[in-house]
């Protein structure tokens, strides 16, 4: 291929990527920042005359025949006569604003590069290649994009640098569109179980809380399972969110068996007719192999309660970790069959190209992107809006 890739050193092993990421994130980030942002938004709404949301009292209508589970269930679903305010979807301009950093380090760099060139030559193609690689687009995807551009130039389909920008964007759009497949909750599956995985520090617990609020605002009943029993902080985070949002949380003491907690949550959710159950899992155990064995055990136990569960296995990755994100998806996919990806913290990275890398390497649906602290900043992934926000 081109000079740049030929000189590129071999990537470190997968194990090294994951171990390094885990060491760097020895404690998972808490949901406090997101909660503060939401509280500020609610305070503003009250000032304008809106009614504050009130967490309802615990449910006392549970049938006597319901089995008693050792897990504790916090709070109940909001009363049926209490209106739920549904947040309006963000505009394209809002997403563009949220992606200021990655656009400055990606789209604007490409524009600047092409604006000063008068002709298309090998040096220009290699500079494009370098820019894509530095933005975490990935070696394979970058090679394919630059190769397609070079062939178009050779066939005289592209004759000026500005046309090259359009061609690069077109190829990125094609990659991004491959993985646009929104998560649809099957109403016939009650509860619809979402198993959430990922290493510490990627915003996994916060993402779960944001998903819970989203589905509750859509009118669905939601329950959370605090399956990350390895860290006491993770359990407390989910309990705090549950109390604040009026969402039941099934939890046991720190160190309890994670599979048992999730099994109890599934049984409780089924007995109560819950629409969506979101289950957290440990971000890390003492070793990588133990983590994967724990996930495999959770999968086996869940199928005892529902042969089709989990109905969605979602991995959360940090959009700024580059090759580490690729390594994490690869290893977790070996232990459990991943069905979706949520890419978080895209607002805080100057790169932003890891989504294209994930699309090329795995082709797994990207369900959500995280572009901020507030609950409304977890957005369903739409390829055209994402590419436009990065490149314009």
């Amino acid at each position: 291929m081109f000079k740049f890739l030929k000189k590129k050193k071999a990537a470190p092993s997968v194990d090294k990527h994951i171990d390094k990421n885990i060491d760097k994130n020895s404690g998972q980030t808490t949901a406090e920042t997101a909660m503060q942002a939401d509280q500020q938004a609610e305070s503003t709404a009250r000032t304008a005359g809106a009614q504050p949301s009130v967490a309802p009292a615990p449910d006392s209508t549970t049938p006597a025949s319901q089995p008693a589970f050792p897990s504790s269930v916090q709070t109940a679903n909001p009363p049926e006569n209490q209106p739920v305010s549904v947040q309006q979807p963000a505009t394209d301009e809002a997403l563009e604003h949220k992606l200021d950093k990655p656009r400055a380090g990606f789209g604007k760099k490409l524009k600047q590069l092409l604006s000063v060139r008068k002709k298309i030559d090998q040096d220009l193609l290699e500079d494009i290649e370098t820019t894509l690689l530095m933005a975490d687009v990935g070696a394979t995807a970058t090679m394919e994009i630059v190769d397609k551009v070079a062939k178009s130039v050779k066939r005289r389909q592209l004759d000026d640098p500005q046309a090259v920008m359009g061609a690069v964007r077109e190829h990125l759009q094609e990659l991004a569109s491959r993985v646009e497949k929104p998560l649809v909750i099957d109403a016939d599956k009650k509860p619809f179980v979402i198993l959430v995985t990922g290493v510490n520090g990627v915003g996994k617990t916060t993402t779960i809380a944001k998903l819970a609020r989203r589905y509750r605002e859509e009118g669905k009943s939601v329950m959370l399972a605090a399956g990350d029993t390895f860290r006491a902080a993770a359990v407390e985070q989910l309990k705090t969110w549950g109390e604040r949002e009026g969402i039941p949380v099934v939890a046991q003491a720190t160190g309890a068996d994670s599979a048992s907690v999730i099994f109890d949550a599934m049984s409780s959710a089924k007995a109560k007719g819950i629409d969506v159950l979101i289950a957290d899992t440990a971000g890390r155990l003492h070793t990588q192999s133990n983590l994967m064995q724990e996930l495999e055990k959770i999968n086996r136990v869940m199928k005892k309660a529902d042969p089709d569960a989990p109905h969605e296995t979602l991995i959360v990755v940090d959009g700024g970790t580059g090759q580490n994100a690729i390594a994490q998806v690869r290893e977790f996919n070996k232990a459990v069959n991943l069905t979706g990806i949520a890419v978080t913290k895209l607002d805080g990275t100057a790169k932003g190209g890891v989504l294209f890398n994930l699309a090329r390497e795995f082709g797994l649906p990207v369900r959500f992107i995280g572009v901020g602290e507030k609950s409304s900043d977890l957005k369903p992934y739409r390829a055209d809006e994402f590419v436009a926000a990065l490149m314009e």
Side-chain angles (χ1 to χ4, degrees):
M1 188 55 200
F2 300 103
K3 288 191 301 188
F4 187 91
L5 288 177
K6 290 179 180 178
K7 293 179 181 180
K8 189 179 178 186
K9 296 180 180 179
S13 66
V14 167
D15 290 347
K16 183 176 180 181
H17 281 305
I18 290 187
D19 292 340
K20 179 180 178 182
N21 190 73
I22 292 175
D23 291 337
K24 188 180 294 184
N25 300 286
S26 57
Q28 185 176 355
T29 55
T30 67
E32 293 178 357
T33 306
M35 290 174 60
Q36 290 172 358
D38 285 335
Q39 288 169 351
Q40 183 177 358
E42 289 186 1
S43 176
T44 303
R46 285 196 293 270
T47 304
Q51 295 297 321
S53 61
V54 179
D59 187 3
S60 60
T61 60
T62 303
S65 59
Q66 178 181 331
F69 302 108
S71 305
S72 64
V73 180
Q74 289 214 196
T75 73
N77 299 320
E80 292 182 1
N81 60 355
Q82 179 178 333
V84 177
S85 59
V86 179
Q87 298 178 356
Q88 295 298 319
T91 62
D92 292 347
E93 290 77 14
L95 180 60
E96 183 177 339
H97 174 70
K98 293 290 185 180
L99 294 178
D100 277 343
K101 284 186 178 180
R103 184 171 61 258
F106 188 5
K108 286 185 178 179
K109 277 190 176 181
L110 277 175
K111 284 185 177 181
Q112 291 169 359
L113 173 66
L114 295 168
S115 65
V116 298
R117 298 300 183 92
K118 302 300 182 183
K119 64 176 182 178
I120 305 173
D121 54 18
Q122 185 69 17
D123 289 340
L124 174 60
L125 294 175
E126 289 182 1
D127 286 342
I128 293 172
E129 185 179 89
T130 301
T131 303
L132 293 175
L133 287 170
M134 294 300 292
D136 283 340
V137 173
T140 304
T142 295
M143 289 175 66
E144 290 181 354
I145 291 171
V146 177
D147 186 52
K148 288 177 181 178
V149 171
K151 288 179 178 178
S152 296
V153 171
K154 191 174 182 179
R155 292 194 296 265
R156 299 184 183 278
Q157 294 173 332
L158 299 175
D159 55 7
D160 70 86
Q162 294 306 312
V164 171
M165 182 67 178
V168 171
R169 175 170 175 167
E170 179 183 339
H171 296 316
L172 289 173
Q173 178 72 48
E174 191 275 328
L175 267 178
S177 298
R178 292 183 192 178
V179 292
E180 181 184 346
K181 187 177 180 182
L183 177 59
V184 178
I185 304 300
D186 188 345
D188 293 332
K189 301 183 185 299
K190 282 198 173 185
F192 186 92
V193 183
I194 303 174
L195 183 69
V196 183
T197 66
V199 302
N200 280 342
V202 297
K204 179 165 56 70
T205 305
T206 304
T207 297
I208 289 172
K210 291 177 179 179
L211 282 176
R213 170 177 275 199
R214 169 177 290 276
Y215 290 133
R216 191 200 65 177
E217 289 177 343
E218 291 177 358
K220 298 179 176 64
S221 56
V222 183
M223 179 179 285
L224 303 179
D228 186 357
T229 57
F230 186 73
R231 292 191 320 116
V235 176
E236 293 307 315
Q237 286 166 28
L238 279 188
K239 284 184 176 181
T240 300
W241 277 94
E243 289 173 353
R244 183 173 176 276
E245 300 294 338
I247 294 173
V249 178
V250 176
Q252 292 182 13
T254 304
D257 181 64
S258 180
S260 175
V261 174
I262 295 174
F263 181 86
D264 287 350
M266 291 179 66
S267 301
S268 179
K270 186 174 183 179
K272 293 187 174 185
I274 296 293
D275 296 320
V276 182
L277 171 65
I278 308 176
D280 193 8
T281 58
R284 64 175 172 86
L285 294 179
H286 294 295
T287 66
Q288 176 189 330
S289 60
N290 285 348
L291 169 61
M292 300 310 167
Q293 290 171 8
E294 178 76 11
L295 285 175
E296 291 168 359
K297 177 182 176 182
I298 289 172
N299 254 0
R300 292 195 303 270
V301 172
M302 292 176 77
K303 292 187 183 303
K304 293 181 180 179
D306 182 346
D308 296 328
H311 306 107
E312 171 78 359
T313 303
L314 184 75
I315 185 170
V316 181
V317 297
D318 184 335
T321 57
Q323 189 63 29
N324 274 343
I326 304 301
Q328 290 158 24
V329 172
R330 182 176 291 114
E331 288 302 295
F332 275 86
N333 202 29
K334 290 178 182 177
V336 290
N337 293 323
L338 298 175
T339 56
I341 302 174
V343 185
T344 63
K345 305 185 182 182
L346 284 169
D347 57 313
T349 177
K351 297 184 177 182
V354 70
L355 192 147
F356 304 107
N357 198 350
L358 290 166
R360 177 59 184 81
E361 291 294 326
F362 305 105
L364 289 169
V366 174
R367 306 296 196 183
F368 301 94
I369 56 173
V371 293
E373 301 288 354
K374 295 189 292 186
S375 293
S376 58
D377 290 330
L378 182 70
K379 303 180 182 299
Y381 169 66
R382 296 182 178 89
D384 55 347
E385 293 180 4
F386 179 73
V387 174
L390 276 183
M391 304 297 289
E392 291 183 354

